Amino acid sequence: MPDEPPAAEDILAIFAVARRLRADASAGTLGQPLRGKNLALLLETPPGEEQSALHRAALELGARVAEVRFADPGGPAFARDGIRGLARMLGRMYDAIDCAALAPATVRQIEQEAGVPVYAGLGLDDHPARALADLMTLCEHRPAPGTSIRFLGDPTTARARAFLRAAREVGLAESEDATLVVDAAHGSHWSLSGPAGPLDAFRRSENHRCMMQTLLLETIVKA
């Protein structure tokens, strides 16, 4: 996803797809739109026993997911040159690649060489997918058009910048007396509140899963 937020109509279209995926999953009619597609998750540490949220989201769409140990060279140019051949090989083996916590320079090089969609940590908290999922959750609890939000915390983090830009695109201005509150004062652990109190954690998790699935479909199917 680009650094700049999508236009308002594009954000609303993304929300519509994510909500449709959520409804289909609830009704048991999701199907396997990524059946036959292969996703590689590049990890700096050995794969753990528990699957990540992104891993599970891709499996639900029918994709085959491989967790691949990948040590970021982060050193001399001759070491980093080896990424080119590896990225090309990964591009031949997989339909998309997620680079999780790899260095931005490494992610850019993989993206340039792989020839398939490459994500800079699609399941991470600071990826715009998380910000859009939180925004979708808030919009579903917006009592009326013109409702404002109050943002608590550092507005300069990558996640906060993505969230606030997207919020402005869909008409959610900031106000000290807003009925929708985003408490981002505790690092990556954001809490969201609406007119009736804290928003449901399960729905937030659902929306994040569906947002990741939306972006997987948009990029892999259209690639």
Side-chain angles (χ1 to χ4, degrees):
M1 174 177 290
D3 291 335
E4 292 301 317
E9 60 269 22
D10 295 326
I11 293 175
L12 297 178
I14 291 171
F15 286 177
V17 174
R19 291 188 182 109
R20 185 165 63 248
L21 289 171
R22 189 179 68 199
D24 289 345
S26 179
T29 58
L30 182 59
Q32 295 188 316
L34 290 185
R35 184 176 183 179
K37 301 296 185 179
N38 298 284
L39 171 65
L41 307 182
L42 303 189
L43 308 176
E44 289 189 302
T45 58
E49 294 183 3
E50 184 177 355
Q51 294 174 343
S52 67
L54 174 58
H55 192 141
R56 295 192 299 272
L59 287 178
E60 287 182 8
L61 296 178
R64 291 189 291 265
V65 182
E67 295 185 342
V68 181
R69 178 77 182 277
F70 185 94
D72 193 331
F78 73 84
R80 300 187 66 80
D81 283 345
I83 296 176
R84 295 179 180 177
L86 181 58
R88 291 168 185 167
M89 180 186 70
L90 290 171
R92 292 192 294 269
M93 295 174 62
Y94 300 99
D95 299 286
I97 303 166
D98 184 82
C99 294
L102 299 184
T106 301
V107 176
R108 287 193 296 270
Q109 192 168 12
I110 292 173
E111 185 174 25
Q112 290 169 1
E113 302 292 341
V116 297
V118 173
Y119 315 109
L122 179 54
L124 299 181
D125 283 331
D126 60 358
H127 191 279
R130 170 70 80 170
L132 283 179
D134 285 336
L135 180 59
M136 185 172 86
T137 303
L138 282 173
C139 287
E140 291 175 339
H141 291 81
R142 178 166 48 181
T147 300
S148 56
I149 59 170
R150 184 182 181 191
F151 186 88
L152 306 176
D154 183 0
T156 66
T157 66
R159 181 178 175 185
R161 291 198 308 270
F163 173 83
L164 292 171
R165 286 197 301 260
R168 287 191 289 269
E169 282 291 328
V170 298
L172 279 175
E174 292 184 72
S175 171
E176 288 296 318
D177 59 352
T179 57
L180 299 177
V181 179
V182 179
D183 187 348
H186 306 286
S188 63
H189 181 69
W190 286 22
S191 62
L192 309 181
S193 299
L199 302 188
D200 181 56
F202 177 73
R203 174 51 63 91
R204 290 183 62 193
S205 178
E206 269 194 320
N207 286 348
H208 186 219
R209 183 196 73 237
C210 294
M211 190 61 62
M212 289 187 290
Q213 291 176 333
T214 298
L215 298 181
L216 287 171
L217 288 171
E218 286 291 307
T219 49
I220 295 176
V221 173
K222 293 183 178 180

